[in-house]
Amino acid sequence: MVKKIAAILLLTGVALCLLQVWLPHYYLTGDGPGHVYNAQVLHDLWAGKNVAFYSRFYRLVYQPNPNWLSTAAIAALMFLVNGIVAEKIFLTVYIVLYVSGFYLLLKKISDNDSTFLLLVILVFVFPQTLAKGFYNFSFSIAFYFWVVWGWLRFLERRTLGNALLFFLFTTLIFFTHLLSFVFAAFTCAALAASYAIAEAREKNSQKSFVFFFKNAAFLAIILLPFLVLMNWFTHKEGGMRIQLAPHLYRLIELMEGKYLVNVTHTEDFPAEFAGIIIMVLLSCSFIGIKNRLKISKYDGFLVSLVFVVLVYLCFPESFLGRLILISTRVQIFVYLLMVCCIACRPVADKLSISSAFIISFIFLALGTVETAGFLTARAGTLDDIYSVAQRIYFSEGILLTVFILIFCAVLFKLPFIKIRNVGFILSFACFVVLTCVRLCCLLNASSAVVDYTSAKQYIKPYSVVLPMDFAPNGKDKNDKMIADRNWLFYHASQYMGIKKPMIILDNYEANMGYFPLRWTDSTNPYFHLSKGEGIEAQPPYANIEEYKQTTGVNIDYILMWCFDSSYLNNEHFRKLYAEINAGYHVAYTSTTRRTVLFEQNH
């Protein structure tokens, strides 16, 4: 009966995940519209449509680069459905791969007593990286589970089928994102070592050494071509150039569950609560068990956790010559490996009073560090005293709630397995609350995108459009901010490019160098149009006339979203605005006046 309840809750959770994608007309993410627009151009080029028009601005680059998956997959889906539906199908595949991969991995490494363990999967399906539109990276997380699961299958049964399965998922993860590929490769190597050490303790050590050597050699052979490609790619991008330094403030962000939040501050409480539950259960798993020093065949996950935490704390936000947002990307892996460690550790019968005190001391210390860090960040801002007091109350309230639950469990002598299940159920409750909050925001955002893209009916096919976004967080019809934790509207205008052929000049993806489409050197707006902070800055800065003279390209339309007149105090934007008023006229204004389209004078 209990297992049936857990299964029903898991299926309900998957349905809620799908609801987030399919209920809004647009599932808006930061870079998502850019992926869909580039996929539309790629699809048209594959299909032989509008080739002459697009070829002036874009060139196709067939190189074995990571980050290819989203553009190519969505472009292929467009042979069957339109771009909006193709994006939703793509994200549905992501959800299915993520949940099923994590499910199979946790089932493989956990005992059968943790009935509700699988519910913890759901709270991590929508990290902030997905809300930012990092589709390739998000898929790579899903493939991480499948790579590790495939490797464990191979360690248990060295068959050709398992070898090919592992190679398939290794290929997929490489062509989605290098960071996840590195983490997967490290986890596989660590598991090969922990398997061999655990077997040596129980059986013949010489045979264990042979076992490890064969598996390590096979792993090296599989990874070698990808490591060669990775070296070629990083060298092409200018080399790693990494300067390691401790960034201890990221511990505070880990305590806060900062990157479990997608779009709005309303998610803060359930996100932080879910993160603390995972950390408390991990602490309980190590403090409460006997024979802590005994090596388990799955202790490779613990070694991987240590490695990922070091990357999280020490790597810079930027390398390879660009902003990587390493803390945003790696934090989710810290949580996921914590869950894996919880799943594979042997379970104690009960938690002792001393164990509860140790756990409480650890997390109260971390809570103090978090509060101190927040106070330091706010130092000198006397006008924000209320926010500081609210934050302290918020964080300490979460910690106090968790500790009360722990001590009640200890006092009533609940078996630790039941404590774990309560924690997993609470994480599911956090997921449900997060879903409700996000759905409200996503529906509001979708309505705003309808307003933003309503200008497309007044734009002629084969036009060149320069969007200017003055509210990347979005504003509703009452002028209230929609997403205060994410720039959801940063590239929302690019959805217009899937309805009719047009060139949208803030197509950052074509300027990155590792996606299938690239700007031609003669028309690249990031070279010839952007000035100062650039066309995507707040406020934007460009020289339209110089772009025309340099490239021979007429910018037919200027699309403004939530124009902010206060930016006219900026000298550079004031010049740009004067240039627009001199050469363009208003062709369309939406009913809410958030969207204004300027057409070039003729």
Side-chain angles (χ1 to χ4, degrees):
M1 182 62 182
V2 175
K3 289 185 177 181
K4 286 185 178 179
I5 293 173
I8 291 171
L9 290 176
L10 181 61
L11 291 174
T12 301
V14 173
L16 289 174
C17 289
L18 296 174
L19 191 67
Q20 289 186 58
V21 172
W22 286 94
L23 185 60
H25 179 70
Y26 293 97
Y27 179 77
L28 184 62
T29 61
D31 290 347
H35 293 314
V36 179
Y37 168 63
N38 280 271
Q40 182 68 60
V41 176
L42 182 62
H43 165 269
D44 286 356
L45 292 175
W46 282 350
K49 298 179 182 177
N50 310 311
V51 174
F53 172 65
Y54 286 127
S55 295
R56 182 184 180 189
F57 297 90
Y58 298 120
R59 58 191 176 93
L60 270 176
V61 180
Y62 291 104
Q63 292 179 344
N65 294 327
N67 286 71
W68 259 66
L69 178 73
S70 62
T71 309
I74 296 173
L77 286 169
M78 286 177 177
F79 283 101
L80 303 174
V81 293
N82 66 50
I84 301 300
V85 177
E87 182 184 27
K88 289 176 181 286
I89 293 173
F90 181 74
L91 292 170
T92 299
V93 173
Y94 158 75
I95 291 169
V96 172
L97 281 173
Y98 193 111
V99 174
S100 59
F102 207 0
Y103 175 91
L104 289 172
L105 181 59
L106 291 181
K107 287 283 284 186
K108 193 165 193 63
I109 65 177
S110 65
D111 53 60
N112 295 321
D113 296 325
S114 299
T115 309
F116 295 96
L117 167 66
L118 301 172
L119 297 179
V120 82
I121 297 171
L122 300 166
V123 80
F124 301 113
V125 175
F126 291 91
Q128 192 178 105
T129 47
L130 182 65
K132 286 183 179 295
F134 299 167
Y135 287 172
N136 289 297
F137 180 75
S138 299
F139 257 85
S140 74
I141 301 173
F143 287 136
Y144 172 86
F145 305 133
W146 287 96
V147 169
V148 177
W149 173 78
W151 179 243
L152 291 175
R153 279 175 58 95
F154 180 79
L155 289 177
E156 292 173 358
R157 292 188 61 196
R158 293 168 51 88
T159 64
L160 178 60
N162 286 339
L164 292 174
L165 189 67
F166 174 68
F167 178 76
L168 169 65
F169 290 124
T170 303
T171 304
L172 289 171
I173 198 172
F174 178 83
F175 285 106
T176 46
H177 205 276
L178 280 183
L179 186 64
S180 301
F181 167 77
V182 171
F183 287 163
F186 187 92
T187 302
C188 291
L191 285 168
S194 61
Y195 254 74
I197 294 171
E199 187 173 293
R201 284 178 172 268
E202 297 175 4
K203 301 177 183 178
N204 186 300
S205 58
Q206 186 174 357
K207 288 184 178 180
S208 299
F209 175 78
V210 173
F211 174 81
F212 172 74
F213 180 78
K214 287 182 178 179
N215 290 327
F218 172 80
L219 183 63
I221 292 169
I222 291 292
L223 296 180
L224 183 60
F226 300 109
L227 293 174
V228 171
L229 285 175
M230 185 173 75
N231 180 68
W232 167 81
F233 175 75
T234 54
H235 181 74
K236 177 174 68 76
E237 295 295 311
M240 298 294 281
R241 302 193 303 273
I242 298 174
Q243 294 182 345
L244 300 180
H247 304 284
L248 298 182
Y249 68 89
R250 293 177 185 172
L251 282 176
I252 299 170
E253 294 177 347
L254 187 66
M255 282 287 294
E256 294 174 347
K258 180 177 180 178
Y259 300 117
L260 296 180
V261 174
N262 277 8
V263 287
T264 174
H265 71 278
T266 317
E267 300 174 57
D268 284 351
F269 181 85
E272 183 167 347
F273 193 74
I276 288 177
I277 286 172
I278 298 304
M279 287 187 277
V280 168
L281 290 179
L282 179 68
S283 302
C284 292
S285 296
F286 283 94
I287 294 173
I289 65 170
K290 298 177 180 178
N291 299 323
R292 299 185 193 99
L293 298 179
K294 183 179 179 181
I295 301 295
S296 162
K297 64 181 181 179
Y298 296 129
D299 277 347
F301 287 109
L302 178 59
V303 176
S304 297
L305 175 60
V306 173
F307 172 70
V308 170
V309 168
L310 289 174
V311 172
Y312 175 68
L313 293 178
C314 298
F315 268 53
E317 294 288 8
S318 300
F319 55 91
L320 286 176
R322 58 175 58 90
L323 183 65
I324 301 295
L325 296 176
I326 199 74
S327 58
T328 309
R329 297 176 191 272
V330 179
Q331 189 183 95
I332 185 66
F333 274 100
V334 175
Y335 286 121
L336 295 175
L337 283 165
M338 283 182 179
V339 174
C340 290
C341 290
I342 292 169
C344 67
R345 300 301 292 179
V347 180
D349 294 332
K350 293 177 183 177
L351 273 181
S352 64
I353 292 288
S354 60
S355 297
F357 270 112
I358 293 172
I359 294 167
S360 301
F361 175 79
I362 291 172
F363 280 89
L364 281 174
L366 288 173
T368 304
V369 170
E370 179 189 6
T371 303
F374 187 80
L375 286 169
T376 301
R378 297 287 184 171
T381 56
L382 296 178
D383 58 331
D384 212 19
I385 291 176
Y386 174 73
S387 295
V388 173
Q390 191 179 44
R391 177 68 209 178
I392 294 171
Y393 175 78
F394 172 72
S395 297
E396 300 304 329
I398 291 178
L399 290 169
L400 184 61
T401 302
V402 173
F403 298 144
I404 289 173
L405 291 172
I406 291 174
F407 276 102
C408 286
V410 171
L411 290 174
F412 286 103
K413 299 181 179 180
L414 287 177
F416 181 50
I417 189 66
K418 290 188 177 181
I419 298 175
R420 292 210 317 178
N421 283 337
V422 169
F424 299 145
I425 292 171
L426 287 173
S427 72
F428 176 78
C430 291
F431 161 75
V432 173
V433 174
L434 287 169
T435 300
C436 295
V437 171
R438 289 166 182 168
L439 264 176
C440 292
C441 185
L442 289 169
L443 289 168
N444 199 2
S446 178
S447 176
V449 174
V450 172
D451 185 295
Y452 195 177
T453 58
S454 62
K456 66 180 179 289
Q457 59 187 313
Y458 298 93
I459 298 176
K460 298 173 183 177
Y462 308 105
S463 296
V464 178
V465 183
L466 173 60
M468 293 186 179
D469 189 345
F470 297 89
N473 297 100
K475 289 185 179 181
D476 64 15
K477 60 183 179 181
N478 298 315
D479 205 37
K480 293 182 178 178
M481 188 181 295
I482 293 175
D484 60 358
R485 294 298 176 86
N486 212 324
W487 283 12
L488 289 183
F489 289 79
Y490 207 34
H491 299 289
S493 62
Q494 293 186 33
Y495 274 133
M496 296 190 303
I498 63 177
K499 299 295 183 180
K500 60 181 72 172
M502 65 178 73
I503 299 300
I504 301 178
L505 292 173
D506 69 340
N507 182 6
Y508 84 98
E509 188 172 308
N511 191 48
M512 297 304 290
Y514 47 75
F515 289 101
L517 282 182
R518 293 187 194 173
W519 289 107
T520 58
D521 293 338
S522 60
T523 61
N524 190 337
Y526 289 86
F527 293 162
H528 304 295
L529 177 64
S530 283
K531 303 297 177 185
E533 296 297 320
I535 57 177
E536 296 184 88
Q538 300 291 306
Y541 183 31
N543 191 318
I544 296 172
E545 183 60 30
E546 183 179 318
Y547 183 67
K548 179 181 178 180
Q549 293 177 358
T550 304
T551 64
V553 174
N554 274 319
I555 298 178
D556 302 301
Y557 298 92
I558 308 289
L559 179 63
M560 291 191 181
W561 165 248
C562 297
F563 174 70
D564 187 345
S565 60
S566 67
Y567 284 131
L568 291 173
N569 295 323
N570 180 287
E571 180 183 357
H572 297 304
F573 179 69
R574 192 163 59 247
K575 291 179 180 178
L576 174 60
Y577 193 66
E579 186 179 6
I580 293 171
N581 282 324
Y584 295 79
H585 64 275
V586 175
Y588 167 75
T589 302
S590 67
T591 54
T592 65
R593 307 193 69 80
R594 286 177 288 180
T595 305
V596 179
L597 180 69
F598 291 82
E599 185 177 8
Q600 187 180 36
N601 297 330
H602 295 289

